[in-house]
Amino acid sequence: MDVLSRPAEEFGNDETLEHLWATKAMEHSDIYFNVLCSVDTRWLQITPHDDLIYTHFRQDFPDLDVAFIKENEIKNNTNKAKWRAFCEKFKNIIEDYSFGTLMRADTNGDYSEQNTILVPRVQFYAIEIARNRENMNNEVKKRFKSIHKLDES
């Protein structure tokens, strides 16, 4: 996995690197979803900087409805620039702040092709911290906890 920390210019479109990234992103999404299905998310601490991330997020995006994220709304030219500025605030605070991370668009759903958006890691943190603090992620535990227990048997 050390290869993921090397400069991008060294690789071009290396299929091995893309596979490693996809594997790491899927592992992260699986672990996070299992955590959501296991705890009361209102008290979930994702990073040591949750308070700072949440404060800046709600200052910069006070009206963003985090229950259902529309990819075209967060990635249009205007909001893309706002998000870039937001993310850069955490460049020296959050490790891998810009690493591509999979995020569920709709809090009521699992990770799936239709319900997954690729975002920078700190954007994932901001939206998921808001979802947790604003009590939007506890429904997923009710809906999927029994399903995931069946999968483990």
Side-chain angles (χ1 to χ4, degrees), residues 58 61-65:
R58 280 304 181 201
F61 302 94
D63 301 321
L64 182 63
D65 177 9

Side-chain angles (χ1 to χ4, degrees), residues 32 35-36 39-47 50 129 132-133 137:
Y32 185 68
V35 169
L36 291 181
V39 302
D40 182 340
T41 61
R42 290 174 297 172
W43 313 114
L44 180 60
Q45 181 90 13
I46 300 176
T47 78
D50 283 10
I129 291 165
N132 292 337
R133 292 185 177 197
N137 269 338

Side-chain angles (χ1 to χ4, degrees), residues 22-87:
T23 301
K24 187 173 179 178
M26 285 301 300
E27 287 172 355
H28 178 268
S29 66
D30 286 344
I31 291 167
Y32 185 68
F33 196 79
N34 285 331
V35 169
L36 291 181
C37 291
S38 303
V39 302
D40 182 340
T41 61
R42 290 174 297 172
W43 313 114
L44 180 60
Q45 181 90 13
I46 300 176
T47 78
H49 308 287
D50 283 10
D51 292 337
L52 181 66
I53 294 168
Y54 183 71
T55 299
H56 281 280
F57 170 66
R58 280 304 181 201
Q59 284 172 352
D60 294 355
F61 302 94
D63 301 321
L64 182 63
D65 177 9
V66 294
F68 185 81
I69 301 293
K70 296 177 182 160
E71 187 170 16
N72 62 339
E73 287 182 9
I74 64 170
K75 293 188 177 183
N76 66 36
N77 288 337
T78 302
N79 285 330
K80 189 186 280 190
K82 283 179 71 175
W83 275 110
R84 189 174 302 114
F86 173 85
C87 292

Side-chain angles (χ1 to χ4, degrees), residues 78-147:
T78 302
N79 285 330
K80 189 186 280 190
K82 283 179 71 175
W83 275 110
R84 189 174 302 114
F86 173 85
C87 292
E88 287 302 307
K89 292 178 188 179
F90 298 95
K91 184 176 186 172
N92 297 315
I93 298 170
I94 302 295
E95 185 177 346
D96 296 329
Y97 79 106
S98 64
F99 190 82
T101 304
L102 302 176
M103 180 180 74
R104 294 169 304 126
D106 184 350
T107 57
N108 290 316
D110 196 347
Y111 284 92
S112 67
E113 188 175 339
Q114 300 79 21
N115 195 40
T116 302
I117 302 170
L118 178 63
V119 298
R121 170 92 21 108
V122 74
Q123 186 177 26
F124 166 84
Y125 287 155
I127 291 170
E128 288 298 325
I129 291 165
R131 288 173 168 177
N132 292 337
R133 292 185 177 197
E134 296 167 15
N135 203 27
M136 293 177 196
N137 269 338
N138 271 331
E139 285 302 310
V140 80
K141 179 170 67 172
K142 295 174 190 169
R143 298 181 79 183
F144 291 97
K145 187 173 186 176
S146 60
I147 294 169

